[in-house]
Amino acid sequence: MPTVTDTTDRRLLRAATRRQHAMKYAIVATVALAAIGGVGQLWSLASAAVGMVGRQSEHNVSAASADDTARVGDFAIDWVKTYLSATKDSANKIAAFYTGEGSLSDTPIEATDAQLASLPDPHPGPVGGLQQWSVVVSVAQRDSADSLQRRRVYYQVTIVVVDGTRLRATTLPAVVPPVWETGVDVSLDYQTVVAKDDPAVVAITGFLRALLAGGPDMSRYITQSYKAQPLTPPPFQSITVTSVHSQAPAPAAGSTQVRMLAAIQGTRAFSTVPMQYPLRLVVTDGRWEVAGIELFPALGTKATDPPAPTNDAAGNSSAPTSAATPTDSVFGKP
């Protein structure tokens, strides 16, 4: 009975042989037809032959499906976690993932919160039916055994997949730099500060208190088409709206609507949590109502690099902030 390795090698060999035969037959056909059709026909058919073999290769390594991605991602996370927890005395722990060269640590590396940081599409292997994946997994890891602080550490792992289902690591994980760079700060497009006693702010406050803090009847503050329900149990004991910024009202489908950004403080036992809600409000029967929490805030057209962090007297790192100072404006009753 053939071993697993024998079966795998033979499958890969057969796939490679089929590709070689396909190229050979394509070249023979191309030369034969070129004798009839001339050099121009030769060039066209040669291009077609190369394209045919290329498509064969693309078929072997097609765009990854959601199942493929999930399978490889889970394998990569499990592999990094197992590798970090294994030691020289427990080397057999990694046998399910890897049997290549390399020695393990004397002590386990304590790490938590493993997450996928990068999972691009696969690359073709040297033979058909073989995929190569390069995955980056991040973990929260202590700088040393006696350190209480954790930081994100990124591990790159390479995985080969045979026949779409059989996974194996090709090397030990390697620490790499973060796979992302610091982005840019994009301005928000809310030009007006809305007064706290404005009817629009009253509607926003009632809606968020009902949503998050078991407040009054939510239906008083939302449109009939908005099917929001209070969170149960409420995540906060109380809600305070600290500021509201707004775009100018605009007509929409026979009514008036406006995009607003509400900043709030949610209070629970011994802590407060700041949050911001991009909201869309409409005027219904002369009353401001919340029509929904928007997926995205209104963005402006300015983008700048974030300021460099500075250290305060206590050694805490923070980035300077600049407060917007537009003139207060009251929407009032529509």
Side-chain angles (χ1 to χ4, degrees), residues 17-36:
T17 303
R18 286 196 297 269
R19 293 177 62 193
Q20 292 175 351
H21 288 170
M23 173 65 85
K24 183 186 299 183
Y25 296 151
I27 293 175
V28 171
T30 299
V31 174
L33 291 174
I36 302 174

Side-chain angles (χ1 to χ4, degrees), residues 125-212:
V127 293
L130 185 69
Q131 293 179 334
Q132 299 181 94
W133 295 73
S134 179
V135 187
V136 178
V137 174
S138 73
V139 296
Q141 185 175 313
R142 293 178 179 177
D143 291 332
S144 61
D146 57 352
S147 173
L148 297 179
Q149 294 186 341
R150 296 179 183 272
R151 61 187 177 91
R152 302 305 299 185
V153 180
Y154 296 81
Y155 289 87
Q156 178 175 292
V157 297
T158 54
I159 298 168
V160 292
V161 181
V162 178
D163 296 336
T165 57
R166 306 176 65 189
L167 289 74
R168 197 75 176 159
T170 55
T171 60
L172 291 174
V175 175
V176 294
V179 294
W180 51 270
E181 298 181 4
T182 302
V184 296
D185 290 330
V186 180
S187 62
L188 297 179
D189 188 24
Y190 300 97
Q191 306 91 349
T192 304
V193 173
V194 186
K196 293 183 179 180
D197 59 351
D198 189 274
V201 178
V202 173
I204 290 173
T205 303
F207 163 67
L208 292 175
R209 284 178 176 171
L211 178 71
L212 302 171

Side-chain angles (χ1 to χ4, degrees), residues 79 101 137 149 240 271 280 311:
W79 167 218
E101 295 182 354
V137 174
Q149 294 186 341
T240 302
S271 66
R280 182 168 57 89
N311 291 327

Side-chain angles (χ1 to χ4, degrees), residues 30-53:
T30 299
V31 174
L33 291 174
I36 302 174
V39 175
Q41 186 75 1
L42 173 63
W43 179 258
S44 299
L45 292 173
S47 299
V50 173
M52 181 181 69
V53 176

Side-chain angles (χ1 to χ4, degrees), residues 67-77 119 133 135 159 161 167:
D67 287 343
D68 293 336
T69 301
R71 187 181 301 114
V72 172
D74 287 345
F75 183 91
I77 289 177
L119 183 55
W133 295 73
V135 187
I159 298 168
V161 181
L167 289 74

